[in-house]
Amino acid sequence: MSLRLDFCSAEAARYACEKWHYSRSLPAGKTVKIGVWEDNKYIGCIIYGQGANHNIAKPFGLKQTEVAELVRVALNKHKSFVSKIISISLRILKKACPGLLLIVSYADEEQGHNGSIYQAGNWIFIGTIEGCKQWFLNGQKIHPKTIAGRFGTNDCEKIKKAGFDIRFKFVKGKNKYIMPLTKEMRVKFEKFALEYPKRAPVVQE
């Protein structure tokens, strides 16, 4: 079985995200899209970008251009270990963007991910982002500030009485991992490593 990674088109990346990632969407903004092929068959892509956090570098004391986020792992059925695929993609990214020093990624507990692919790749676990409320207006996800600005309140009952379908749900937090791209960065941040979170046991009914 042969494994090959190389840059791919936006169309190929969009196809992979819509077909094989739970978000069903290609991330917005400028990204680096790395395609994955097994036995010359396209099986998905790994995508890096700035993500939704415009201050992603601030907690690490680095410049915004020195930190990127692993924003998508969109893969179809595959034989290779995901940790190996990500590791190869990191080498490609590092070569293409020599100024990068650190990669950040999140394992979404809401999707049942604890970050085992990062643990297998020796990423550094630095903590969990707390869960939060997610609001939905007429079935579409919406920011709570937008709701308050539009209706002058976040009171669901008042908004419902105005004829709108407003709902919210609590979502679990995300486990945060980092991958230093230089030995200096590894030494600098390894001291902040926390014990890897374990996957919750499956309860037999």
Side-chain angles (χ1 to χ4, degrees):
M1 189 274 297
S2 64
L3 173 65
R4 181 173 66 89
L5 276 73
D6 201 350
F7 299 109
C8 68
S9 66
E11 290 75 15
R14 180 176 292 105
Y15 179 88
C17 291
E18 291 178 352
K19 292 287 185 180
W20 305 318
H21 192 268
Y22 63 83
S23 70
R24 303 299 180 197
S25 65
L26 182 71
K30 187 177 181 181
T31 57
V32 176
K33 309 165 188 70
I34 301 174
V36 185
W37 289 262
E38 281 187 343
D39 294 330
N40 295 319
K41 180 181 178 182
Y42 180 68
I43 61 163
C45 67
I46 309 295
I47 304 178
Y48 297 91
Q50 286 298 316
N53 183 2
H54 299 296
N55 293 305
I56 189 172
K58 190 174 181 179
F60 308 105
L62 298 173
K63 299 176 183 177
Q64 194 72 1
T65 54
E66 295 173 329
V67 182
E69 181 183 337
L70 172 51
V71 290
R72 292 288 189 278
V73 177
L75 298 172
N76 193 11
K77 293 180 181 178
H78 51 86
K79 298 176 184 177
S80 305
F81 290 115
V82 179
S83 56
K84 179 179 180 180
I85 293 172
I86 292 175
S87 178
I88 296 172
S89 75
L90 284 169
R91 292 202 294 269
I92 294 172
L93 178 71
K94 185 177 179 181
K95 186 175 181 180
C97 308
L100 277 178
L101 299 176
L102 191 73
I103 305 299
V104 178
S105 194
Y106 302 90
D108 194 342
E109 291 277 7
E110 188 71 15
Q111 299 297 324
H113 302 157
N114 74 327
S116 57
I117 60 174
Y118 306 121
Q119 295 174 21
N122 198 31
W123 288 57
I124 298 172
F125 173 60
I126 58 172
T128 301
I129 297 175
E130 292 185 2
C132 62
K133 276 185 181 180
Q134 280 189 354
W135 293 81
F136 297 86
L137 180 64
N138 296 330
Q140 298 295 316
K141 186 178 176 181
I142 188 171
H143 196 282
K145 289 183 178 179
T146 304
I147 297 172
R150 180 172 175 180
F151 299 102
T153 180
N154 280 73
D155 189 313
C156 286
E157 294 306 315
K158 290 182 179 179
I159 298 172
K160 285 178 180 178
K161 286 179 180 179
F164 295 92
D165 178 17
I166 183 76
R167 306 168 189 268
F168 68 83
K169 70 173 183 177
F170 288 99
V171 296
K172 296 179 181 179
K174 295 182 179 181
N175 295 324
K176 188 174 183 179
Y177 293 84
I178 60 173
M179 170 53 76
L181 297 182
T182 67
K183 291 181 180 179
E184 291 76 15
M185 289 294 103
R186 170 68 65 172
V187 171
K188 180 178 181 179
F189 294 112
E190 205 160 35
K191 59 188 175 184
F192 299 110
L194 301 175
E195 183 179 352
Y196 284 146
K198 295 179 175 60
R199 188 179 296 276
V202 176
V203 179
Q204 300 292 333
E205 296 183 353

